[in-house]
Amino acid sequence: MPLTDEKNWRDCAFVPPAKAAAILGYSVSTVRSLLFDEGLRAVRLARGGPMFVTVESLIELIDGAEPVSKAELTRIARNTENHHAVSLVLIQGGRK
């Protein structure tokens, strides 16, 4: 399996969980949660071998993400300027 880098991961069939986490900007633990919750799919090339995340499921998750509205961005910016903590929620599978 060829090594993946930032530019060609979409050309691969699968990536290691750590690479999937880097692509999504999440922790490996969050990627494992997404695998468990069926937001992502995984394969093993050999019984008992390492697990890989399918690039197809990564792309589906990314494509299913909802854009953040200007109104929401403005609200977040105002709260940040006023030094209020803003909690961000992980949206699994592109929908909450």
Side-chain angles (χ1 to χ4, degrees):
M1 184 169 102
L3 295 177
T4 60
D5 63 26
E6 296 303 318
K7 295 178 183 174
N8 72 359
W9 66 267
R10 286 179 179 260
D11 296 332
C12 297
F14 3 84
V15 294
K19 184 63 176 179
I23 291 165
L24 295 170
Y26 292 156
S27 68
V28 174
S29 177
T30 299
V31 167
R32 288 192 175 117
S33 293
L34 288 168
L35 288 165
F36 181 76
D37 295 337
E38 298 181 8
L40 291 172
R41 292 182 301 281
V43 297
R44 290 188 195 274
L45 300 178
R47 177 179 263 176
M51 177 180 63
F52 295 95
V53 177
T54 66
V55 168
E56 178 183 41
S57 69
L58 268 174
I59 292 170
E60 287 171 4
L61 181 68
I62 292 167
D63 287 348
E66 294 180 2
V68 178
S69 70
K70 285 188 177 186
E72 186 174 357
L73 288 172
T74 301
R75 182 184 54 78
I76 291 169
R78 286 185 182 144
N79 285 341
T80 303
E81 288 173 5
N82 294 329
H83 306 291
H84 293 101
V86 177
S87 62
L88 300 178
V89 177
L90 169 66
I91 299 175
Q92 296 182 358
R95 305 259 185 248
K96 180 165 167 74

